[in-house]
Amino acid sequence: MMMQERTYKDAVGAILFDAAVSPQVGHEWFAPNYWRERSALHTQAGGRGGVAIIATPAGECVLRHYHRGGLVAALMGDRYLWTGVERTRPFAEFRLLGEIARLGLPGPAVVAARYVRHGLFYSADLITRRIAHAQTLAECLAEGRLDSELAEEVGALVARFHRAGIWHADLNAHNVLVASDELYLIDFDRGRLRTPAVTWQQANLQRLRRSLLKLGAASQGEAVFEKAVWQPLLYRYGRTLTP
């Protein structure tokens, strides 16, 4: 189904949505209490503050409020400097996810994005369709399921995005989803299209490697990790990047 991009603006801010998924999306869609009052909200661990799952007329979705991380979070909380509509984080991510879908790559299907103005700043939210029956790569690692075969699948997944010039700003084990039918990349905040180049592609891979090591992937020694996980991942990555 082709995306039908629509924008709703008012004095509060603006909503960008796919009318092919839902013909109308209002500010209430981005309010957890709205869904909670209808027994249509539940949360699960993950991200900053957990993940909100909402049962919408368009199906089960993930509602994500943009939160800052690091030291700046103490000063800015969930607010971002306003530099124009097209540079808002939710609208940029919405359009990148639309391009990912157009390219046939496995990412979350976008439903709606919103910003709310606060003078010189704005806050933001994004709604995507939930990818059902999936675990993060971090969860698979914790359960001892990250073997050479899964590592190869991860390598192929990353290569497909890199070949298309899709740069993921935070490629880590929490942002790779493993479902029964396919692997997915999620959370494309600050991601963008780039001309394929070895420099950023390798930096992206090294970010994923650091994430795996931080989560204990080398608990049996780094040599075992290299042989059982990282080398199979790189092998399939290379084969998929330049078939």
Side-chain angles (χ1 to χ4, degrees), residues 93-144:
E93 187 169 356
F94 181 103
R95 294 207 164 99
L96 181 58
L97 288 174
E99 179 64 10
I100 286 169
R102 189 189 68 79
L103 292 169
L105 294 170
V110 69
V111 175
R114 176 184 75 154
Y115 69 79
V116 174
R117 290 291 303 272
H118 307 280
L120 295 176
F121 303 93
Y122 71 94
S123 56
D125 306 273
L126 185 77
I127 297 174
T128 56
R129 284 190 180 275
R130 185 188 185 198
I131 298 169
H133 310 298
Q135 287 185 297
T136 66
L137 184 61
E139 290 170 330
C140 291
L141 172 61
E143 294 176 1

Side-chain angles (χ1 to χ4, degrees), residues 6 8 15 17-30 35 56-58 111-112:
R6 300 286 187 274
Y8 166 75
I15 297 170
F17 63 99
D18 182 1
V21 175
S22 179
Q24 193 164 356
V25 176
H27 286 287
E28 70 278 0
W29 278 54
F30 301 91
W35 302 107
T56 78
V111 175

